[in-house]
Amino acid sequence: MASESLQAEVDRLRLQLETLQAKDGSALIFVGDYLLKRLEQLKVTKMFGVPGDFNLGFLDLVEDHATIDWVGNCNELNAAYGADGYARVKEHSLGVLLTTFGVGELSAINGIAGAFSEMVPVLHIAGVPSMAQQKSKPMLHHTLGDSRYDAYIKAAEQFTVAQGIITSKDSAAAEIDRVLTECITRARPVYLTLPTDIVYQKISSERLKIPLSRLPPPNDPDVQAFVLDEIVKLVDEADDDIVVLVDACAIRHDVREEVNELIKKTGLPVYSAPMAKSAVSESSERYGGIYVGSISHPEIKEKVEAAKLILSVGCLKSDFNTGNFTYSIPLSRTIEFHSDHTKVQFATFPGIGMKELLPQLTSRLQPAKKLFPVPPFTAVLPQENNDIISQAYFWPRVGQFFKPQDVIVAETGTSSFGVLDIPFPDKSVFLSQILWGSIGWTTGATLGAAFAAQDVGLGRTILFIGDGSLQLTVQELSSMIRHNLKPIIFVLNNDGYTIERYLHGKERKYNDIAPWKWTGLLGVLGDIDGSKSKSYTVSTKQELSALLDNAEFADAGKIQLVEVMMPQLDAPQALARQAELSGKTNAYVVV
Amino acid sequence: MASESLQAEVDRLRLQLETLQAKDGSALIFVGDYLLKRLEQLKVTKMFGVPGDFNLGFLDLVEDHATIDWVGNCNELNAAYGADGYARVKEHSLGVLLTTFGVGELSAINGIAGAFSEMVPVLHIAGVPSMAQQKSKPMLHHTLGDSRYDAYIKAAEQFTVAQGIITSKDSAAAEIDRVLTECITRARPVYLTLPTDIVYQKISSERLKIPLSRLPPPNDPDVQAFVLDEIVKLVDEADDDIVVLVDACAIRHDVREEVNELIKKTGLPVYSAPMAKSAVSESSERYGGIYVGSISHPEIKEKVEAAKLILSVGCLKSDFNTGNFTYSIPLSRTIEFHSDHTKVQFATFPGIGMKELLPQLTSRLQPAKKLFPVPPFTAVLPQENNDIISQAYFWPRVGQFFKPQDVIVAETGTSSFGVLDIPFPDKSVFLSQILWGSIGWTTGATLGAAFAAQDVGLGRTILFIGDGSLQLTVQELSSMIRHNLKPIIFVLNNDGYTIERYLHGKERKYNDIAPWKWTGLLGVLGDIDGSKSKSYTVSTKQELSALLDNAEFADAGKIQLVEVMMPQLDAPQALARQAELSGKTNAYVVV
């Protein structure tokens, strides 16, 4: 690891030197192809987006590329969601989105902001007018009519960590490398403009020989040694009464393996925050379930909060990820590991990143002498005296349906809350947008996730989405059919926005939606002869169970949509509790 | 007019005084209700948007309001398009969009930018966290996770002419009035944040007694007199060899009537740019058709460019509105009337707006002595020896189907180009997005237009959209069904993005789309029992004609969708010519 990290640093420095020396030795390559070559090196196989008049030339190169396929989404927001979902499942790579000037890129901006918020590496390429046009600023279509050609860049600056504004072929390669490096090392979206007249300009391909690295810069060895001593001292004092709490950045900043090694060696109990569900194996005996502040299961809450020391890996303390900020873990008992710093109790150590620190810590620690008991994380099917598919029944029941290596995608709302307390099989992957919470995101994300699952050898992609949310982005089901993907889509039909009814306006009409014929969707959106898809409605526990037990269904040989009829005002316990807390904070008080 | 304009000025000054004096005499009203009252005064009857946790309290007030209805769109971009379409048809009012913090408002931003570009008055209200939260900046869902609570405002600043950031009840009324005034006087979108804790705070309703006015400030009388003299002199010298050229801002800045009066009195020939189609009556003998630079019909081009003097009203010289900047009209022969300035040949007169100037000019001018001939603007049905529904056949044929007071909406692409050369009946209204050109816009815009048409007593709403474009925003058909609107929707099924094939990549796969079962859409998206809608496919000239001649169809008693099978590589002449010019400019040259 240390030598990999040093090699990455050497490569970065070489690239900086290249930029300054402007070496120009080797074979020439189109700017557009340079970009594609970099994406290929980073193992990108899909490009999401919508064609538009300022990106068509580049699209010729994409279409002709041997290993990168053009997805061609129904709209740009869905495409951005697709790139995000792809990046989450395809670790060590990134998602790529291509849009056109103004109209296209702005339609995608919520998707990019979501990737920023949730820390997902997405490259947003905007095809823009030629440099001549950017200088003379004519009133082209897709402009604001007032010559402000930089307005879209200014908007993008708010939601990306780097912007590569290509203005000449001379700086194009360095700009591409710079934003891609920012994207993959910081796990955040970046923005790149590609003018129509620069795509086909030829530049040196010399830089391509030096790979881009996603490894962070090496930690300072002296500081790291000091930090390690401090941590080991606290661990020793805690006398094995320690829990590991894994959170979002353990996934985003790629330390899952490091955490698993730590647990394997020490035998410490491990819990996860909602955003880290599936980061550590939920079938492990040392895994205790989801800690989410005061809305945790009482047993989990007690175990985590009573520990003498918490090793907190990649924490992200957002409202829905912490039971509305109800963590009861004092800093004096916490060590926080982050991608670019470490906190030991009250002291912060900038520059000491966990990717390098965690393995060193593992090598310093001994197996725990006392194995503190971890109550098993299970979900029991409740006995209910009715046929209704309640939330309390549904989630444990589908839990029995999950298989190892499933990719499980849960929409914000009843789905993301409901699935939390269900144990996942080994090597499954969980996708949800717990911080950003943009409803409709999962439709696009499922498309991207299903593509990535093929690439990395994962199994089925299973989506849980409410009827209200699916309406926002429904057309992307069409892209799944078109590309012959085979997700299983559970549409929770509870007649409107149930999460919002819990927050406010339970009986209000504004939380209603139009009723759709859900089982007719796949036929209309592309499976015209009915051979590529299958749709079902289940209204009772028996129907649901029978379907889940059907081997052909479980085998996911074609895209399948299951409309699940559920009561309008039923919600998972966790959602009801969160809504109660959140509702208090956001109350509309008459003053 | 002059006294109305003065009254408006008096009202504006009174409101400014109120702001400074902070009068607090009369009955108290919730901030949320104050806003609704202002919208009611401005004749708003519909609010577009999607519910979200930071706008639910305000939505209670909207739902309880007697004359403003909540639309409840399928997603925010469609909602923004809806508000835009509503504002275009409902003159002297505005469109209103309500979204939630972050996720909602950003999804709508392309729609707002389009309203900015095309000059449409839209108020975008974002429900935002309470002031306490805005100060302490917790990591709430829908935030970027880095405390930048102002990021969305910064994005909105790029695409709105005013931002009302409400931070206390004391300034709320003045902020609301300020942004609404900017919105309606400048015909551009504005942005307003509504914190959850301020909606229900009580403020004085005193200011509501003074109405907001959309009239521009009065012109300086001395300068105006001078300008009038200059214009009259040029008119006299031109010896009746004058044409009036109407453009976008004649509609946006509300001088249609003034232009019609001018034409009626003088008998001058009048032409319009694409963006002003339907601004003047196309059945008038003095109306000559569409002038669009070098891609105009040769006869029109000759008439316009040969005139000694051009009275250009509200011109907006964008690429697609000018035949790719091929106007051949020297400034020395042009007088340009604008909303806030006038140009007489080479001289600019700031502050002399056309709303007040045009009627004065009309009163100074005499009827033309020589009526220069205007070749009639007609569209002849071509004789073709095949069954195919060609573009050349389709547009004149549907032209015969149009009735007075139809609202005709044409999507960017084949539709917007194809319909240009078809004369519209009297009092029909044309909607298209010729400058912004965001594909998919018309689906939402048709929803808004159909609502507004009911309000203002217009007739049928007729949409022309390509299969590629409809995929972007298709779910909004559901809102039409839900609200019992009855547009006629022509889906031009030509198997992909034909406009783009003309620009670049004629045979490329990236211009393909997934095939949908178009006639199944309305059934799936809400007309579950089939009683509210009807769908058709027409594949031949005969089928098309028979349908258009069917009285029940023409009567538009329910929502109807017509799939029109057209050849993939057929395009209206105007599009082919524009694409040729535009393609040259944007060429992807291999250097």
Side-chain angles (χ1 to χ4, degrees), chain A residues 141-152:
Chain A
H141 61 291
H142 306 342
T143 67
L144 295 164
D146 60 3
S147 313
R148 286 186 300 125
Y149 269 59
D150 60 350
Y152 316 140

Side-chain angles (χ1 to χ4, degrees), chain B residues 443-487:
Chain B
T443 323
T446 295
L447 172 76
F451 276 129
Q454 289 181 336
D455 284 3
V456 301
L458 284 165
R460 308 175 299 183
T461 303
I462 303 173
L463 166 62
F464 298 96
I465 185 166
D467 50 354
S469 295
L470 183 51
Q471 292 198 346
L472 280 89
T473 47
V474 64
Q475 53 270 82
E476 223 50 45
L477 297 176
S478 164
S479 302
M480 301 175 193
I481 300 168
R482 183 183 184 195
H483 291 284
N484 210 23
L485 297 169
K486 294 154 185 172

Side-chain angles (χ1 to χ4, degrees), chain B residues 3 71 109 152 381 383 430 483 585:
Chain B
S3 73
V71 173
I109 209 163
Y152 316 141
L381 210 59
Q383 293 303 316
F430 177 56
H483 291 284
T585 327

Side-chain angles (χ1 to χ4, degrees), chain A residues 114 177 196 255 477:
Chain A
D177 289 355
T196 52
V255 295
L477 297 177

Side-chain angles (χ1 to χ4, degrees), chain A residues 408-424:
Chain A
I408 299 162
V409 189
E411 179 68 36
T412 295
T414 33
S415 299
S416 63
F417 282 96
V419 84
L420 273 188
D421 293 328
I422 307 306
F424 286 178

